[in-house]
Amino acid sequence: AAEACDISDFLWSNVWMARATGEAKYGDRIEKDFFNALPTAVSSYFDLSVYTTAMNRIPGVHLKIRDDGQYYKVIHDPTCCSANINRVLPNYVINMCMHNQQNELMWLLYAPAHLKTKDGKYDIEMQTEYPFRESIKLTVNAMPEGEKLLLRVPDWCKNATCSVNGKMVNAVPMNGFYRIERKWKAGDVVELTLPMEARLETGTEQFADFNGTQPYWGIMEPSNDDFEYSGFAKGGDYAIVNYGPMVFGLSLQAKDESYYELNEERWHEFRYALDDKSLKDSKITFRDLPPYCLWSKDNAPITISVKANLIDWEPDKGDPKLPIEMPEVKQQNVDLQLIPIGCAPYRMSMFPHLH
């Protein structure tokens, strides 16, 4: 689990690293945080938040940990998280583009936006439905004639393309950016396409170890002051479904999208595991974006169908780690519909990995 403060502080730290270095990888980290962690920590109208959030939010398991920190509330004690979470959205917007140390205009982050400076040197409009769609369009109304324009290409994207006024840019991204230098004129249109596909990310859970003691579900509750870091203890193997910068998961809600209260009797089965063939015949379905981009389980702009396995797994309600030993498979090839985790207040997205 992570405190909501971490979402804001992680973004802010990476913003400053991007300012200092001009490296594209910090934009990758920011958007991963912004499009996943942030919407899992707040309600779709941004009027409620949780104190701690996690990849998996399983009713009856995670919700009984650390008092009410996993419940949606107007304000939590301590109040730092409830206040700090409000900084994420403006800090993302403010730092979408910046000049690097070579005085090149670097677009680090993407969203519908309009860059317009008071001196009239810059007037650039960005139109996009990213991260739900692949296309990003910039219309240059004003820009210094010979300035370089840098467009970040995320590390997960292997076949990005870029065009200017309909003509393909004959270059490959360098150091994570397309670099475009030309005699800019009003009306120039730059289009960046970032092809997305469903990807299975696998690995092993790791937990910080302090003299043989591990944090309680990610939260250290010391019994004494003598804690010496001694590396990581391995947990269970996991599988995560990604699409572009977004993580996808199984919604566990049976009520409508505005329902944030705990009702254990209304939740779906969650004891599923993925294997290396889960995405073999996956199908991606698109629907129109909802008004104001409200995130909910019932109008998710993208769904991904996967094959899963129902397993014999009963998580420890005090410390719900993934199973370390390979569990018994009770049912194979179960069809699941996954949605962006920001659309699923209650979810399973870090699945046990069978192999």
Side-chain angles (χ1 to χ4, degrees):
E3 291 180 294
C5 279
D6 296 338
I7 300 169
S8 177
D9 294 343
F10 181 81
L11 183 146
W12 191 232
S13 298
N14 281 279
V15 161
W16 278 98
M17 292 300 294
R19 290 178 180 180
T21 68
E23 294 184 19
K25 65 181 180 182
Y26 297 110
D28 292 1
R29 294 176 182 179
I30 292 169
E31 70 173 14
K32 193 79 169 181
D33 179 43
F34 184 77
F35 292 126
N36 298 286
L38 174 62
T40 65
V42 296
S43 62
S44 56
Y45 285 95
F46 230 98
D47 54 346
L48 304 171
S49 66
V50 297
Y51 182 76
T52 55
T53 187
M55 293 284 285
N56 298 336
R57 192 164 186 264
I58 305 169
V61 180
H62 293 70
L63 295 182
K64 292 185 176 179
I65 298 173
R66 186 151 179 164
D67 301 324
D68 64 352
Q70 272 283 303
Y71 290 88
Y72 283 90
K73 295 173 61 177
V74 174
I75 194 167
H76 287 272
D77 184 21
T79 57
C80 55
C81 283
S82 300
N84 208 10
I85 200 73
N86 291 287
R87 298 174 178 171
V88 182
L89 183 57
N91 281 337
Y92 183 93
V93 174
I94 291 168
N95 295 285
M96 288 178 63
C97 64
M98 59 185 73
H99 275 115
N100 63 14
Q101 293 184 1
Q102 289 73 43
N103 204 37
E104 303 163 323
L105 186 63
M106 180 175 72
W107 281 90
L108 188 69
L109 306 167
Y110 301 120
H114 189 177
L115 169 65
K116 190 173 184 179
T117 58
K118 292 182 179 180
D119 59 13
K121 290 184 178 180
Y122 297 91
D123 187 338
I124 304 173
E125 297 178 73
M126 179 179 290
Q127 296 174 304
T128 184
E129 292 181 344
Y130 185 86
F132 303 112
R133 301 295 185 266
E134 302 172 343
S135 176
I136 299 165
K137 177 181 176 182
L138 292 92
T139 301
V140 178
N141 301 313
M143 186 169 170
E145 187 176 279
E147 183 163 351
K148 285 185 180 180
L149 175 65
L150 274 60
L151 302 177
R152 179 179 59 88
V153 177
D155 184 63
W156 51 260
C157 184
K158 306 306 178 186
N159 298 294
T161 60
C162 185
S163 67
V164 178
N165 298 330
K167 184 177 180 180
M168 299 302 296
V169 174
N170 187 24
V172 295
M174 293 182 58
N175 299 322
F177 291 98
Y178 268 115
R179 280 177 162 79
I180 306 170
E181 183 178 8
R182 58 183 279 109
K183 294 182 177 180
W184 297 103
K185 62 182 185 297
D188 281 342
V189 176
V190 180
E191 292 190 69
L192 176 68
T193 302
L194 302 174
M196 303 180 190
E197 61 181 7
R199 314 182 312 278
L200 192 69
E201 172 190 343
T202 60
T204 301
E205 278 192 295
Q206 296 189 72
F207 300 93
D209 191 87
F210 298 84
N211 293 341
T213 300
Q214 296 172 30
Y216 180 80
W217 195 50
I219 299 169
M220 180 57 72
E221 296 186 352
S223 56
N224 57 65
D225 296 328
D226 184 24
F227 278 90
E228 181 180 346
Y229 174 68
S230 53
F232 283 92
K234 288 187 176 181
D237 293 337
Y238 66 80
I240 299 171
V241 175
N242 297 284
Y243 182 82
M246 294 183 293
V247 175
F248 277 63
L250 174 68
S251 172
L252 304 182
Q253 284 182 262
K255 280 211 167 192
D256 62 45
E257 70 277 1
S258 62
Y259 186 75
Y260 293 97
E261 299 301 323
L262 172 63
N263 187 335
E264 293 184 34
E265 297 177 356
R266 290 185 174 271
W267 306 98
H268 299 302
E269 175 66 76
F270 68 87
R271 297 170 300 168
Y272 294 108
L274 302 181
D275 59 38
D276 294 337
K277 297 181 180 179
S278 290
L279 295 182
K280 181 180 179 181
D281 297 312
S282 63
K283 180 181 179 182
I284 300 173
T285 303
F286 299 91
R287 71 161 59 97
D288 292 338
L289 266 64
Y292 309 109
C293 293
L294 293 177
W295 299 61
S296 79
K297 72 177 185 66
D298 295 327
N299 63 4
I302 305 174
T303 60
I304 301 177
S305 65
V306 301
K307 295 289 186 181
N309 305 278
L310 182 63
I311 60 173
D312 184 14
W313 174 40
E314 294 295 337
D316 181 345
K317 291 192 175 185
D319 198 7
K321 300 175 182 178
L322 298 181
I324 295 180
E325 302 294 332
M326 288 293 102
E328 177 187 351
V329 176
K330 302 173 69 174
Q331 185 179 351
Q332 293 180 318
N333 295 322
V334 180
D335 292 314
L336 297 184
Q337 297 294 319
L338 306 186
I339 61 176
I341 61 173
C343 298
Y346 304 95
R347 61 196 166 270
M348 185 75 185
S349 61
M350 193 174 188
F351 296 88
H353 180 215
L354 298 182
H355 55 87

